[in-house]
Amino acid sequence: MDVSVTLWVLTIVGLAALIAVDFFIGRKPHDVSIKEAGIWTVVWIVLAGLFGLGLLVFGGGQPAGEFFAGFITEKSLSVDNLFVFVLIMAKFAVPTQYQQRVLLVGVLIALVLRAIFIAAGAAILASFSWVFYLFGAFLIWTAWKLIQEARADEEDEEYEENKLLKAVERRFGVADRYHGTKLWIQQNGKRVMTPMLVVMLAIGTTDVLFALDSIPAIFGLTQDPYIVFTANAFALMGLRQLYFLIGGLLKKLVHLSYGLSVILGFIGVKLVLHALHESGVHVPEISIPVSLGVICAVLVVTTITSLMAGRRQAAVEAAHTDGEGASKGSVDA
C-alpha cells in the first residue's frame, strides 16, 4: 500500500486528537466504572472498525484484511499485558482514582517505543529478507515458552522492576508517597520523582518486552509499516479501558496462554513459509483471510473452554465446601 507523507501526518494528527479527547474527558482523577470502561472500549473498537472500512474503500481488500488481522492479533496479545499491569498496580499500590491516568501515560510511552520498534523492523525486513526466518523461529519458540509457562501455573507471580527503571530511581530518587497526579516534587531541597511517574515508566517500559513478540507477529501478517503502526495504535489505545472492563475476568481466562501460543506458532509458521517462498522454494503461503479465520477461531475456542473450565472449577469448589459443611455439622451433632 502506497502511503504518502501527507497521509502519515494526517493519521498521526488524528490519533493525537483522539488521545487528547480521551485525556480531556478523563482528566479528573476518579474511579472508573464498568459502564464508563465498557462505553470507551466499544468506542475504540468502533473507531478501529471504521478505520479498517476506510482502508477497504480507499485501499482495497488486501490492506483492510491485513489491518483487521493485525488489530485482532495485537488486541489479543495485549490482553496478556493486562496480567502484568495488574501486578504493577499492586506492586506500587496505585490508588484506584489514579489508575486511569497511570495507564494512559504508560500506554502512550509504550506506543512511542513500539513506533521505534516498527520503524526499525520495517527497515531491517526491507534490507534483509532472511530476517523472516529469524522472526518465524522466534515466534515458534515464544509459543512453546508460553505453553510451558501456562503448564507451570505460577500462582505467586510478582512484578520485578527492570534494570532501566531501577537505574532511573537511583539517579533521581523517589518520594515516599503519592502527591496527587504530580510527577515531580521538591523533597529536602532536591527534585525527585513521585511513585506516579515511576509506575508510568514501569508500564511503558515493560510493554517493550511484549513488543518483542507482538511486533514480529504482526509483521508476519503484513509488511506494510503503516498498517503495522495503526493496528498497534488502535489496539493499545483501547487497552486502558479494557483493563477496567475485564480486570476481574482475567483470572477466568485460564486457557488464554494456550490460545496465544497457538496464534504465535501459527504466525511463526506463516513467516517461515513466506521466507521460503521469497527464497524461491515452492511452498504454499497462508493467505490473510485464512490467517484472520484461524486467529478468530482460536480466540473463540479459547474463551469458551476457559469459561467452561471456570464453571467446572466453581462446581468442584462448591461441592467441596458443601462437603466440609456437612462433615462439620455431623461432628457438632
Side-chain angles (χ1 to χ4, degrees):
M1 181 177 172
D2 187 19
V3 180
S4 65
V5 176
T6 302
L7 181 57
W8 267 106
V9 172
L10 290 175
T11 301
I12 294 173
V13 170
L15 287 172
L18 291 173
I19 294 168
V21 170
D22 192 6
F23 183 84
F24 179 78
I25 293 175
R27 69 189 185 281
K28 185 178 180 180
H30 66 282
D31 292 331
V32 179
S33 65
I34 296 296
K35 180 180 179 181
E36 179 184 346
I39 291 173
W40 275 101
T41 297
V42 172
V43 166
W44 280 106
I45 292 176
V46 169
L47 288 173
L50 292 175
F51 182 83
L53 290 176
L55 287 177
L56 177 63
V57 173
F58 297 103
Q62 180 74 11
E66 291 176 352
F67 171 79
F68 283 119
F71 172 73
I72 293 173
T73 299
E74 292 298 313
K75 198 71 172 177
S76 60
L77 289 173
S78 68
V79 170
D80 206 30
N81 296 22
L82 298 182
F83 287 99
V84 179
F85 289 177
V86 170
L87 295 176
I88 292 175
M89 293 292 188
K91 169 78 173 182
F92 292 97
V94 182
T96 55
Q97 67 268 28
Y98 299 142
Q99 288 183 3
Q100 66 162 345
R101 178 69 62 85
V102 167
L103 287 170
L104 178 60
V105 178
V107 167
L108 284 176
I109 294 172
L111 184 57
V112 172
L113 294 176
R114 286 201 181 200
I116 297 172
F117 269 59
I118 291 167
I124 292 172
L125 289 174
S127 303
F128 309 101
S129 59
W130 56 265
V131 175
F132 283 111
Y133 289 108
L134 186 62
F135 277 9
F138 177 74
L139 288 180
I140 294 172
W141 175 79
T142 303
W144 172 245
K145 186 180 177 183
L146 267 178
I147 292 177
Q148 289 182 316
E149 290 176 353
R151 295 175 70 179
D153 192 23
E154 298 179 1
E155 292 290 336
D156 299 325
E157 187 177 2
E158 285 190 19
Y159 169 73
E160 190 68 32
E161 295 180 30
N162 56 61
K163 293 181 179 179
L164 176 62
L165 190 58
K166 289 180 179 179
V168 171
E169 290 178 6
R170 286 194 300 268
R171 171 64 179 82
F172 296 100
V174 183
D176 56 355
R177 63 182 179 85
Y178 287 88
H179 293 263
T181 57
K182 292 181 179 179
L183 304 182
W184 298 89
I185 63 165
Q186 290 289 335
Q187 184 172 285
N188 298 325
K190 181 183 177 182
R191 193 165 182 256
V192 298
M193 301 189 301
T194 66
M196 175 71 76
L197 179 55
V198 176
V199 72
M200 287 176 179
L201 293 174
I203 287 179
T205 55
T206 300
D207 182 78
V208 173
L209 300 177
F210 291 97
L212 293 178
D213 55 38
S214 66
I215 298 301
I218 194 170
F219 270 117
L221 298 169
T222 176
Q223 284 79 59
D224 190 325
Y226 181 75
I227 296 176
V228 172
F229 173 74
T230 51
N232 266 274
F234 279 106
L236 279 179
M237 289 316 303
L239 191 59
R240 178 169 66 96
Q241 290 77 17
L242 203 59
Y243 171 87
F244 296 104
L245 184 64
I246 68 172
L249 300 176
L250 287 176
K251 291 184 178 180
K252 295 184 179 181
L253 299 176
V254 294
H255 296 159
L256 178 63
S257 293
Y258 293 105
L260 295 180
S261 67
V262 172
I263 292 173
L264 290 177
F266 170 77
I267 298 176
V269 172
K270 184 179 186 298
L271 270 172
V272 172
L273 291 175
H274 177 74
L276 290 171
H277 182 79
E278 291 292 313
S279 300
V281 180
H282 297 290
V283 293
E285 284 204 86
I286 301 173
S287 66
I288 288 297
V290 171
S291 299
L292 187 57
V294 169
I295 292 167
C296 291
V298 169
L299 292 175
V300 170
V301 170
T302 298
T303 302
I304 293 174
T305 57
S306 293
L307 295 178
M308 291 174 62
R311 289 177 181 176
R312 286 196 298 269
Q313 181 64 27
V316 170
E317 291 177 355
H320 181 68
T321 302
D322 291 342
E324 287 184 346
S327 176
K328 184 178 183 300
S330 63
V331 170
D332 291 342

